[in-house]
Amino acid sequence: AQSVAQPEDQVNVAEGNPLTVKCTYSVSGNPYLFWYVQYPNRGLQFLLKYITGDNLVKGSYGFEAEFNKSQTSFHLKKPSALVSDSALYFCAVRDYRDYKLSFGAGTTVTVRA
Amino acid sequence: DAGVIQSPRHEVTEMGQEVTLRCKPISGHNSLFWYRQTMMRGLELLIYFNNNVPIDDSGMPEDRFSAKMPNASFSTLKIQPSEPRDSAVYFCASSLALSGASTDTQYFGPGTRLTVL
């Protein structure tokens, strides 16, 4: 079985400050990890993914995520948050042998001006 | 690239009516997924097609739900009869799965917000 935990329902940061959205996962085999963002009344937009290789993955809109195998984590980060980053963020995991993508419950990010 | 296209974007219907949701995947993609999103249950996978063939429909909640993919560019999700508890946002996603590899990214459509009164 595979699962994802996003321990924070909400994250609030001031514009210009660093943003971190936490994600931990559980999977029996090698994990493939994804981050998506959902703006109000929109579909999920792909941000970045980790498949193999460098543990630091860079994605769209200045976001990056660090894969940590020992801590089974894949936290999303942005050095300087923008008000426009306010949205719902989902972490997802898939076992390398499977097609099913398991999503976390989501974290609502609010960036205040 | 037009992305995944879904229609309608919003659907309001009365209990007992038939509802049909439509999806056009990204051209060239051979995998298609239907998801349902609710506050209580989050994102749930309903059904997965590969090369137009249903591979896994274990997430379909009950017999009232059915999905088809008659060709590579079109899929439908039908609910008959609809019930208030079916109210949710339904997403379609597609991906390019090469030789069963699971490194492919799923790309989501904008969703259909269904309200059953």
Side-chain angles (χ1 to χ4, degrees):
Chain A
Q2 56 194 33
S3 63
V4 170
Q6 294 182 241
E8 299 162 317
D9 292 336
Q10 291 195 342
V11 170
N12 299 304
V13 298
E15 189 172 34
N17 281 3
L19 170 63
T20 298
V21 186
K22 296 180 181 178
C23 170
T24 58
Y25 66 89
S26 174
V27 68
S28 56
N30 292 329
Y32 292 157
L33 294 151
F34 301 78
W35 275 102
Y36 287 84
V37 60
Q38 184 179 24
Y39 297 99
N41 300 315
R42 302 283 294 276
L44 278 71
Q45 296 180 29
F46 169 70
L47 280 178
L48 50 81
K49 67 181 178 183
Y50 171 82
I51 302 301
T52 187
D54 193 347
N55 289 343
L56 185 63
V57 179
K58 294 187 182 297
S60 306
Y61 312 120
F63 284 95
E64 59 188 27
E66 186 166 12
F67 171 64
N68 187 316
K69 187 173 183 178
S70 62
Q71 297 185 4
T72 62
S73 67
F74 189 56
H75 301 331
L76 181 70
K77 299 180 181 181
K78 186 170 184 179
S80 179
L82 301 173
V83 172
S84 57
D85 293 328
S86 299
L88 181 59
Y89 290 79
F90 290 97
C91 181
V93 68
R94 183 166 62 213
D95 185 287
Y96 76 106
R97 298 162 293 187
D98 202 352
Y99 57 84
K100 281 187 176 179
L101 200 55
S102 296
F103 286 88
T107 298
T108 299
V109 170
T110 301
V111 182
R112 59 186 185 276
Chain B
D1 189 342
V4 176
I5 299 172
Q6 291 186 248
S7 65
R9 293 294 309 277
H10 302 274
E11 177 81 30
V12 180
T13 190
E14 293 188 346
M15 183 173 62
Q17 296 299 305
E18 177 180 295
V19 175
T20 299
L21 311 181
R22 298 172 176 80
C23 174
K24 176 179 171 54
I26 293 173
S27 177
H29 282 189
N30 60 353
S31 292
L32 185 138
F33 306 80
W34 282 100
Y35 289 89
R36 180 170 66 178
Q37 184 181 38
T38 61
M39 290 293 292
M40 291 297 295
R41 300 174 68 92
L43 274 160
E44 303 173 275
L45 176 65
L46 299 177
I47 188 168
Y48 160 54
F49 291 88
N50 184 259
N51 292 323
N52 311 336
V53 176
I55 302 301
D56 183 357
D57 65 354
S58 60
M60 297 286 263
E62 42 195 282
D63 292 344
R64 297 185 296 107
F65 286 70
S66 62
K68 294 181 180 180
M69 192 164 186
N71 57 62
S73 59
F74 183 66
S75 177
T76 59
L77 177 67
K78 185 177 294 186
I79 308 173
Q80 166 64 17
S82 58
E83 296 183 2
R85 58 193 169 119
D86 301 331
S87 298
V89 180
Y90 291 82
F91 288 106
C92 176
S94 71
S95 69
L96 176 62
L98 301 176
S99 301
S102 60
T103 63
D104 50 293
T105 298
Q106 292 182 25
Y107 294 92
F108 284 73
T112 295
R113 182 174 296 275
L114 174 65
T115 303
V116 183
L117 303 174

